[in-house]
Amino acid sequence: SDLITSILAGDSYSYTPSSTDTLYVVATGGQNCSSSATMVIIVVNDNPTLDLGPDQSYCENEFSSVVLDGPSGFVNYEWSTGEGTEDILVDSAGIYWLEVTDANGCTARDSVEIILNAAPMVDLGEDQLGICSEAAPITLSGPDGFSSYVWTNVLGDTVGTMQDLSVSTIGFGTYILTVENASACSDADT
């Protein structure tokens, strides 16, 4: 507890407590007359904590929407979208923040970014039909610039994991190339 001394009539005193505190105030009049001490209890409430989690990354060709969950137990919710609910549904990239208010009127704010990574585009070109078995070795070539390449047959069996696939060594048929970029987004072509 603190004793605030010598507050003259009409004066004000500013005090910032750092925790729950009890103050005794003695007011002194214009002729050095003082009144009895008044006890004022100041309660300092902890600010609430809010954590919306880490930023979230999605592949743009696989994303439609995501629910952002606010924690329960608050008396007020205010999202950057203007919604006042605990949870919101978002369908586009951006930074979304939430401000919550607890029963004591204390607030907390946090934000999360929704990131949409570019999807790769793979195009193996026109299908090659009617190739004679005596033809020179045939190699199917995947495009440059991807972090992984997976060739599969129509049964889903992996037949290669390199950029290029030599069809002459595994037999003729239909093959599917699935590529993945550095953001772990994928695309496929036949």
Side-chain angles (χ1 to χ4, degrees):
S1 67
D2 292 326
L3 176 63
I4 301 175
T5 60
S6 300
I7 297 178
L8 298 176
D11 285 350
S12 63
Y13 181 83
S14 178
Y15 175 76
T16 305
S18 58
S19 62
T20 299
D21 217 346
T22 303
L23 301 176
Y24 296 95
V25 179
V26 177
T28 305
Q31 297 179 359
N32 286 335
C33 296
S34 60
S35 67
S36 60
T38 302
M39 182 173 71
V40 178
I41 298 176
I42 299 174
V43 177
V44 177
N45 297 301
D46 292 329
N47 282 329
T49 56
L50 177 60
D51 183 9
L52 294 176
D55 293 344
Q56 301 176 31
S57 293
Y58 298 94
C59 299
E60 66 182 359
N61 61 335
E62 299 170 1
F63 178 82
S64 60
S65 63
V66 65
V67 174
L68 298 180
D69 297 316
S72 61
F74 291 96
V75 297
N76 190 48
Y77 297 85
E78 181 183 345
W79 287 92
S80 55
T81 59
E83 295 174 72
T85 57
E86 188 175 312
D87 305 324
I88 62 169
L89 181 70
V90 297
D91 60 4
S92 60
I95 297 175
Y96 297 89
W97 56 259
L98 170 62
E99 184 171 290
V100 294
T101 305
D102 67 13
N104 297 313
C106 298
T107 62
R109 181 186 279 212
D110 193 24
S111 63
V112 63
E113 183 173 10
I114 302 300
I115 302 163
L116 297 183
N117 296 306
M121 296 283 292
V122 62
D123 183 4
L124 296 175
E126 293 293 319
D127 292 343
Q128 298 180 18
L129 303 173
I131 299 172
C132 298
S133 61
E134 302 88 33
I138 297 176
T139 299
L140 301 176
S141 296
D144 292 332
F146 295 102
S147 58
S148 79
Y149 299 83
V150 177
W151 292 91
T152 56
N153 60 22
V154 292
L155 300 175
D157 301 322
T158 299
V159 294
T161 57
M162 303 298 287
Q163 181 175 351
D164 298 330
L165 179 69
S166 175
V167 175
S168 302
T169 60
I170 59 171
F172 295 98
T174 300
Y175 297 98
I176 302 154
L177 172 61
T178 302
V179 297
E180 189 172 280
N181 64 17
S183 298
C185 297
S186 62
D187 191 29
D189 192 24
T190 304

